[in-house]
Amino acid sequence: MKNLTNIAFLAKGKRSLVFTASYKNKLVAIKVKKKSSKAINRLENEAKFLKILNKYKIGPRLIKQGKDYIVYEFVKGKPILEYKKNLKKIVLNVLDQCFVLDKLKINKLEMHHPVKHIIIDKYPVLIDFERCYYTKNPKNVTQFCQFLMNINPKLNKKLLIKTLKTYKSEQSKKNLNQIKKILNPS
């Protein structure tokens, strides 16, 4: 890991350790596989999906990868539940990102409880893609809406669930817009 300076421990996850560092005058995150982890190819998987999703401006920008580590742009900001400004705009942006994932047939996982997986500064950034996989039936939009229903008792859950069932049968922009209307009535 050449050219990395000011390396500092940030966090510990189930399968990896995360550090911050300086790289070419930018703050980066370094995710390193824990020696005790039995998980196979999780960081390689995350790098693979970040390469794909970065083309759609989803996820932190992947900078480099190596054996048992990846380096990506550090995402400054707050976790979604700590962020208080422009929440409707944030929710709609996350829904758009989830829709792109659904259209690419990529399931991110954790979107039903993404409290550590959505970091917000000016806009939301999805992080932690190590468990992503391709599937015929991705559930990113529906899982994120499940999360919204759990944290917002004011939502019309009956109408939202009905609309989500329609979306699930046809993941179209039209059906996504129906979901957005329920979440952001004009």
Side-chain angles (χ1 to χ4, degrees):
M1 292 191 275
K2 292 180 182 177
N3 304 324
L4 293 169
T5 59
N6 303 322
I7 298 173
F9 176 77
L10 178 67
K12 177 171 70 169
K14 288 181 187 173
R15 293 169 283 281
S16 58
L17 301 172
V18 181
F19 299 85
T20 58
S22 294
Y23 178 76
K24 296 184 179 180
N25 296 321
K26 287 188 178 179
L27 186 61
V28 297
I30 309 163
K31 197 179 226 185
V32 180
K33 181 181 178 181
K34 273 185 178 176
K35 294 201 186 313
S36 61
S37 175
K38 305 278 189 250
I40 299 169
N41 297 330
R42 294 294 90 200
L43 294 176
E44 293 88 343
N45 191 61
E46 182 160 10
K48 174 180 97 172
F49 281 103
L50 281 176
K51 285 176 190 172
I52 295 163
L53 296 171
N54 283 175
K55 295 173 188 170
Y56 298 90
K57 295 184 171 42
I58 296 175
R61 190 174 62 82
L62 180 67
I63 294 171
K64 63 195 293 189
Q65 71 181 100
K67 184 170 172 34
D68 295 332
Y69 76 90
I70 59 173
V71 178
Y72 53 85
E73 227 169 46
F74 182 78
V75 180
K76 294 178 184 171
K78 294 181 179 182
I80 189 166
L81 290 181
E82 293 177 25
Y83 197 81
K84 303 298 180 203
K85 297 183 271 182
N86 301 322
L87 286 178
K88 286 183 180 180
K89 189 175 177 182
I90 296 298
V91 165
L92 297 177
N93 185 300
V94 172
L95 275 173
D96 286 335
Q97 291 183 61
C98 287
F99 180 69
V100 171
L101 288 165
D102 283 354
K103 295 311 284 179
L104 293 171
K105 301 295 185 198
I106 296 171
N107 211 43
K108 183 186 179 311
L109 293 179
E110 291 103 11
M111 291 310 293
H112 66 285
H113 191 71
V115 293
K116 295 179 182 176
H117 297 262
I118 302 172
I119 305 297
I120 304 160
D121 184 11
K122 293 181 180 113
Y123 60 92
V125 179
L126 306 181
I127 62 168
D128 202 2
F129 292 88
E130 65 185 40
R131 293 178 58 211
C132 269
Y133 63 94
Y134 285 108
T135 180
K136 289 180 185 176
N137 301 306
K139 300 172 175 75
N140 300 289
V141 168
T142 54
Q143 283 191 350
F144 184 62
C145 287
Q146 179 184 349
F147 166 71
L148 295 173
M149 285 188 282
N150 289 336
I151 65 167
N152 186 350
K154 294 178 183 172
L155 279 176
N156 183 340
K157 291 180 183 180
K158 207 174 197 176
L159 179 59
L160 184 54
I161 289 169
K162 181 182 176 198
T163 309
L164 287 169
K165 285 179 181 178
T166 303
Y167 173 84
K168 189 176 178 182
S169 67
E170 183 190 342
Q171 294 180 342
S172 67
K173 191 75 170 168
K174 176 185 168 200
N175 289 334
L176 176 70
N177 288 335
Q178 292 302 315
I179 294 166
K180 287 179 173 183
K181 280 183 188 175
I182 295 166
L183 296 174
N184 187 25
S186 34

